[in-house]
Amino acid sequence: MIYTVIGGKGFIGSEIVKQLREAGEQVYVPEKLDEGVFTKALGTVIYAAGHGDCANNPMKVLDSNVSYLVKMLESSQFDRFIYISSTRVYMNQQASCESADLTVCAKDNRALFNLTKLTAENLVLNLADKAIIVRPSNVYGLAVNSPLFLPSIVRDSIAKNEVNMYIREDYQKDYVSVVDVASAIYKLAKADIQSNEIFNIASGRNTRADTIAKVLTDKTGCKVNWFESNVNEAFSEVDISKLQSVIDFSPATIEDDLESMINSFTELYNEHESFTL
C-alpha cells in the first residue's frame, strides 16, 4: 500500500510522514503543484494541507482548505481519502460529538476557517467512498518557531523570562500531541472502516490557561502577565468515545508534555542562543 500525504512537510503532515516511514510504509509526499497527484495511483490520501490566517490571506485559506481539495477529489486516483479538519468547528457549541449540529458564530473573526473546513468535510463525504474525516483539537509539539499559542509562550518563558497572556486565567480548551494525532490517523487508515466516518482526535479533557501558566513558572521561573481579554470563544470537552471504540487511543496530557517541551526548547536555546534555527 502507498500513502500520499498532501502537506507532508507541514507540522502535522511531517509527523504523519515520519511515523509512516518508521512503520515501513511507502510514502509519496508531493511538492507544491506536483502534477503527479493527477496521474499516479495515490493509494490512501492523507490531506494535511491547510491554512488559517483568515485576516491576512483569506484566499489562501480558501485555496488550501477547499480549492485544491476539489481538484484532487475530481481528478485523482485513490483508494481512501482522509481529510484533516478541526475541532474548532465546535467553538461556542454545547455538544462536541461528531454527529452534533454545528453553527458558525457571527462574531468569529476566523469564521472563514470553520466554513472552509465544514465545506471540505462535506465535499469529501459526498465525493469519496470509505472516506475518513478527522477533527484534531489544538495540536502541539516541538515546533520551535511556530506562531501557535503553546510554542510561543514556551519560547517567551525561556528567552524573555516573561510571558504575556491575552486570555482569561480560566480560559480552557483541549490540547493534543502531534504524535498522538499522527498515530491515530495511521491506525484509522489501517482499520476496517467500510463507510464514510468522522472522528474527533483530542485528549478528551480541557486544560485551563492558569494551569499552563503554573507549569511555566514552576519550570522556568518566568513572570506571567495577564491582560484583559476580548476573546469570545468557549469549548466544551471534546468527545473521543467514537475514536476509542475503533482504535486503541490513550493520549498524553499537556501538563506532562509541556515539561518535556520546556526542557527541549531550553536545550535548543542554549545550543543556538536563539530560536531562529
Side-chain angles (χ1 to χ4, degrees):
M1 178 182 292
I2 185 171
Y3 290 84
T4 299
V5 184
I6 307 300
K9 295 183 178 180
F11 176 44
I12 297 176
S14 60
E15 179 63 29
I16 294 170
V17 170
K18 174 175 174 286
Q19 291 193 23
L20 288 172
R21 286 178 171 159
E22 287 176 347
E25 303 288 1
Q26 184 180 354
V27 185
Y28 169 39
V29 182
E31 297 289 340
K32 189 175 181 180
L33 304 179
D34 185 345
E35 291 297 315
V37 298
F38 304 116
T39 59
K40 299 178 181 179
L42 304 180
T44 295
V45 173
I46 302 175
Y47 195 95
H51 192 73
D53 190 352
C54 301
N56 297 310
N57 206 335
M59 289 307 299
K60 188 172 182 180
V61 175
L62 178 65
D63 289 342
S64 298
N65 296 350
V66 178
S67 301
Y68 187 70
L69 172 73
V70 171
K71 293 178 184 177
M72 289 203 65
L73 290 170
E74 289 183 328
S75 305
S76 297
Q77 306 169 50
F78 52 84
D79 300 318
R80 165 165 277 169
F81 206 99
I82 300 176
Y83 179 77
I84 300 179
S85 183
S86 170
T87 58
R88 195 177 188 278
V89 298
Y90 300 125
M91 191 181 82
N92 296 342
Q93 316 288 319
Q94 290 188 343
S96 64
C97 62
E98 293 87 347
S99 60
D101 291 331
L102 302 173
T103 60
V104 177
C105 305
K107 294 183 179 180
D108 179 13
N109 60 9
R110 293 185 62 206
L112 178 63
F113 178 82
N114 285 25
L115 286 165
T116 54
K117 285 297 184 184
L118 291 172
T119 299
E121 286 187 16
N122 197 267
L123 286 166
V124 173
L125 294 174
N126 279 283
L127 296 175
D129 295 324
K130 297 189 294 183
I132 295 174
I133 306 295
V134 295
R135 294 173 176 167
S137 64
N138 302 275
V139 184
Y140 66 85
L142 192 61
V144 177
N145 290 313
S146 169
L148 295 175
F149 172 65
L150 281 176
S152 296
I153 62 174
V154 171
R155 281 198 308 270
D156 287 349
S157 72
I158 296 166
K160 301 177 182 178
N161 201 36
E162 187 173 30
V163 173
N164 293 328
M165 292 282 210
Y166 296 93
I167 51 179
R168 300 183 309 275
E169 293 180 48
D170 63 351
Y171 177 79
Q172 58 183 283
K173 56 185 178 181
D174 186 293
Y175 297 91
V176 65
S177 164
V178 67
V179 175
D180 287 331
V181 171
S183 174
I185 289 172
Y186 181 38
K187 289 177 181 178
L188 286 171
K190 302 289 280 187
D192 183 22
I193 299 172
Q194 297 298 318
S195 57
N196 289 358
E197 300 289 350
I198 301 174
F199 295 94
N200 292 331
I201 304 180
S203 71
R205 56 188 288 271
N206 282 356
T207 302
R208 287 172 48 122
D210 54 4
T211 300
I212 292 172
K214 186 177 187 307
V215 176
L216 292 176
T217 55
D218 288 349
K219 287 288 291 181
T220 70
C222 71
K223 178 183 179 183
V224 177
N225 304 312
W226 297 93
F227 293 88
E228 185 175 348
S229 170
N230 60 357
V231 174
N232 183 31
E233 56 185 49
F235 295 91
S236 301
E237 288 192 344
V238 179
D239 184 347
I240 58 172
S241 59
K242 181 178 178 181
L243 179 69
Q244 291 178 319
S245 72
V246 175
I247 65 169
D248 178 26
F249 183 70
S250 300
T253 67
I254 180 59
E255 290 90 343
D256 289 341
D257 277 357
L258 190 55
E259 292 192 18
S260 298
M261 284 177 64
I262 292 169
N263 292 335
S264 297
F265 274 43
T266 301
E267 290 177 9
L268 288 168
Y269 185 76
N270 290 338
E271 181 179 350
H272 297 274
E273 297 184 352
S274 90
F275 284 117
T276 306
L277 308 181

